[in-house]
Amino acid sequence: MACHSAGHCSSTGCVTVQHLAEKLPLIEGIILVIHCFGFFGILIPLWVLSPRPAASDVFGSIEDRGGWGNNGLACLVGLVGPIYALIVQFKGPDSAVHMSEEIRDASRVLPLGMIWTLILNGSTGFVMIVTLAFCVGDIDHVLESQTGFAFIQVFLNSTGSVRAATGMTVVIMAMQFCAAISNVATTSRQVYAFARDKGLPFSDYLSKVNPTFTVPLNALCMSLVIVSLLSLINIGSSVAFNAIMSLGTAALLSSYIISITCVRLRRWRNQPLPPARWTMGRFTPFVDTVSILVLSIIWVFSFFPLTEKVNPTSMNWSVVIFGGVILLSLVYYQLHAKKVYKGPVTRVNVMAE
């Protein structure tokens, strides 16, 4: 009975996703409206109702709550979360890349979209984090909140109303749901593209495009099922769940470092690159170099725990998960993938010939 119910739910979810796939642009437009109204729906109550400390206390004081013994080191460790949120969450620039094959005039529209997304999300995120810094109040009280979430306690302390705090929390939950839609959509395209190049197990199945909806439905459903199963781990062990989720930051940063470094090396060696309609001109080498340095520093600290003294619960297990994934990937490549994998660059060259 349980297996039948699970199978029915998965089938229902895939059918729902299938029907929503064609409406993705409309859904994304609705999400944008919710995002804008939700931003002000959170910001204005915090500005109006929260007691605010002096600006000197907010901007002039640093607390090393991780016990690192050095404020600079504490700040570097604390960079990982904001960086991950900026590049990934809430339809960040990273998500748009994986939809490039479905964008008209992608060679120009996509870079501009990524830049404007970064500017808008970065600006609104900066305003929100400054607002939160003014409204957070007693940090110890917030962190020990019985709600289990510090931001909910901030809402409650600021408004003094359970109903208002609940309403503001619902806005956050709605945005998380919207972000999940975008993440599943972009993940499915990434799975499809890699499977099309024979880089994944069951590539023939995952690389099929549904002729009716013209979307990689198999990859979409597989992504949805895997994400749903991963979320169930949190019921049994939050430590195991956080260990798996922590892999995302290091994996993303690794992909950026490798990609930018390869391009930077070709420029340094004066080797040709494919023509581009959108570039940063003479600033490109400088931006590439700075990006590699900054990303490398953040990549190292992405494996650090939040506190110097750790236990099995507070330990950052991403280094173990990251190493395990790399090892399994190398084994799979040596045993099978290297015999069938065709990289996208090779495929483009063959088609051009």
Side-chain angles (χ1 to χ4, degrees):
M1 180 67 71
C3 293
H4 175 74
S5 300
H8 178 72
C9 291
S10 298
S11 301
T12 303
C14 289
V15 170
T16 302
V17 171
Q18 179 177 350
H19 286 286
L20 291 177
E22 285 188 323
K23 305 296 183 181
L24 187 59
L26 175 62
I27 295 172
E28 295 288 354
I30 296 174
I31 291 174
L32 177 61
V33 174
I34 297 175
H35 180 86
C36 294
F37 280 98
F39 173 75
F40 291 105
I42 298 293
L43 194 69
I44 293 175
L46 291 178
W47 278 1
V48 174
L49 300 175
S50 296
R52 291 182 292 275
S56 58
D57 294 334
V58 174
F59 296 106
S61 61
I62 299 177
E63 296 185 21
D64 177 15
R65 291 180 168 268
W68 295 103
N70 183 286
N71 288 337
L73 180 58
C75 290
L76 288 172
V77 174
L79 274 177
V80 177
I83 290 295
Y84 179 72
L86 186 61
I87 60 179
V88 180
Q89 297 297 328
F90 305 108
K91 296 174 61 182
D94 180 82
S95 299
V97 175
H98 310 309
M99 307 294 292
S100 59
E101 294 186 2
E102 301 175 41
I103 299 175
R104 294 181 180 177
D105 197 19
S107 60
R108 179 166 180 80
V109 172
L110 181 59
L112 291 175
M114 293 175 66
I115 293 297
W116 278 109
T117 299
L118 184 61
I119 292 173
L120 294 176
N121 278 1
S123 301
T124 54
F126 178 77
V127 172
M128 186 61 72
I129 197 64
V130 170
T131 300
L132 186 63
F134 272 95
C135 302
V136 67
D138 187 346
I139 297 179
D140 291 320
H141 173 66
V142 169
L143 293 177
E144 296 171 359
S145 172
Q146 295 181 354
T147 65
F149 296 92
F151 73 91
I152 298 179
Q153 189 63 46
V154 172
F155 294 162
L156 183 59
N157 294 344
S158 299
T159 62
S161 168
V162 174
R163 293 182 178 180
T166 302
M168 296 167 72
T169 303
V170 168
V171 173
I172 300 296
M173 293 174 62
M175 291 310 306
Q176 289 284 2
F177 178 77
C178 294
I181 294 175
S182 299
N183 286 339
V184 171
T186 56
T187 300
S188 66
R189 270 54 172 191
Q190 192 172 20
V191 170
Y192 159 74
F194 201 25
R196 183 182 56 190
D197 298 330
K198 307 297 182 182
L200 291 175
F202 312 108
S203 291
D204 292 337
Y205 174 78
L206 294 174
S207 60
K208 290 182 179 179
V209 177
N210 184 279
T212 303
F213 296 95
T214 62
V215 296
L217 186 60
N218 293 344
L220 190 63
C221 291
M222 181 64 70
S223 301
L224 180 63
V225 170
I226 292 176
V227 169
S228 301
L229 293 177
L230 287 175
S231 65
L232 296 178
I233 297 176
N234 197 38
I235 299 176
S237 172
S238 59
V239 176
F241 177 77
N242 291 330
I244 296 174
M245 292 299 101
S246 63
L247 174 65
T249 304
L252 279 167
L253 294 175
S254 299
S255 67
Y256 298 154
I257 293 171
I258 293 172
S259 301
I260 299 174
T261 300
C262 290
V263 174
R264 185 67 187 93
L265 284 175
R266 291 190 70 88
R267 287 197 173 99
W268 182 58
R269 296 170 179 171
N270 292 322
Q271 295 175 330
L273 287 168
R277 295 178 58 198
W278 193 95
T279 70
M280 289 178 286
R282 60 179 180 174
F283 298 104
T284 301
F286 173 77
V287 173
D288 287 346
T289 303
V290 173
S291 298
I292 294 170
L293 294 176
V294 173
L295 290 172
S296 298
I297 293 172
I298 299 174
W299 181 82
V300 171
F301 284 100
S302 69
F303 297 111
F304 275 53
L306 293 178
T307 59
E308 183 186 23
K309 297 180 180 180
V310 297
N311 53 47
T313 302
S314 61
M315 175 62 183
N316 185 350
W317 296 101
S318 60
V319 63
V320 179
I321 305 297
F322 185 83
V325 170
I326 294 295
L327 181 61
L328 290 176
S329 300
L330 290 174
V331 171
Y332 175 72
Y333 179 78
Q334 289 296 327
L335 295 179
H336 176 70
K338 70 177 182 180
K339 303 174 184 177
V340 296
Y341 175 70
K342 298 291 184 182
V345 174
T346 302
R347 177 165 296 185
V348 169
N349 290 340
V350 171
M351 293 175 64
E353 294 174 359

